[in-house]
Amino acid sequence: MKIAFFLIASCIAANAYAASADKAEALYDRMHRLAPSMASHTIIDDALKALSGQPCFNEMSGEIKTMILDYSNPPGAKKLAINSFMSRFTNDDIDAILAFSETQPGKKMFATMPEVAAEASVFAMNHFQANQQEINKRIFDLLERYKGKTCNSPS
């Protein structure tokens, strides 16, 4: 009896979040409705600007937009997101998020989230690239300090 109680308690604790697949899918679908393109429009605009001097640009631009959007939502992304939501949120959490997404601030947040994330990613990438030599130097200095030392390795 104690073992059965322990197993049940362990399952409940392990699935403390465990939202249902239906709720998680509803959240995913709502996110896509409010922000249909997870690829930033800024990224699309930048790509188009870079190609704007090409012959036949006007004829190509629609196809280029479609191409970028096709690659921004790879197969399996929906399932990955649903599983992620299920492991991180309860049904009540998702209900609250869905309710918020119907408010004006919620709609605005979901609509701008991809652009904000893209801008932050570009900033972080540029910062890393600008400091790559310093980072490499620090890593090589660290490797040099440990050269020839015997260390405890995790088992």
Side-chain angles (χ1 to χ4, degrees):
M1 185 65 149
K2 285 183 181 180
I3 292 174
F5 177 74
F6 175 75
L7 290 174
I8 291 169
S10 296
C11 287
I12 291 171
N15 293 317
Y17 290 101
S20 71
D22 290 343
K23 292 278 186 181
E25 186 169 7
L27 178 56
Y28 180 88
D29 291 343
R30 177 75 49 86
M31 289 174 70
H32 271 279
R33 183 173 56 80
L34 295 174
S37 131
M38 290 314 231
S40 167
H41 293 290
T42 302
I43 292 171
I44 294 171
D45 291 344
D46 288 349
L48 291 174
K49 258 189 247 170
L51 298 170
S52 63
Q54 295 294 318
C56 302
F57 171 76
N58 291 334
E59 291 79 1
M60 294 187 303
S61 63
E63 194 172 335
I64 291 168
K65 283 181 184 179
T66 301
M67 204 181 311
I68 292 171
L69 291 173
D70 285 348
Y71 279 95
S72 72
N73 195 14
K78 181 175 182 174
K79 183 177 181 179
L80 177 76
I82 289 170
N83 288 336
S84 182
F85 294 152
M86 287 171 55
S87 69
R88 288 176 170 81
F89 298 113
T90 65
N91 285 336
D92 289 344
D93 292 338
I94 291 177
D95 286 340
I97 294 167
L98 291 172
F100 172 68
S101 74
E102 288 302 316
T103 67
Q104 204 52 40
K107 289 176 184 176
K108 188 173 185 177
M109 188 199 79
F110 278 99
T112 60
M113 195 182 314
E115 297 239 3
V116 171
E119 289 169 3
S121 293
V122 167
F123 178 83
M125 181 182 66
N126 288 340
H127 177 74
F128 181 84
Q129 287 175 344
N131 293 286
Q132 193 165 0
Q133 288 181 343
E134 175 64 22
I135 294 166
N136 288 343
K137 181 187 177 315
R138 291 177 68 186
I139 290 171
F140 286 120
D141 288 349
L142 181 67
L143 291 172
E144 190 62 35
R145 281 198 337 247
Y146 279 86
K147 193 175 187 177
K149 289 186 179 181
T150 303
C151 301
N152 294 327
S153 297
S155 49

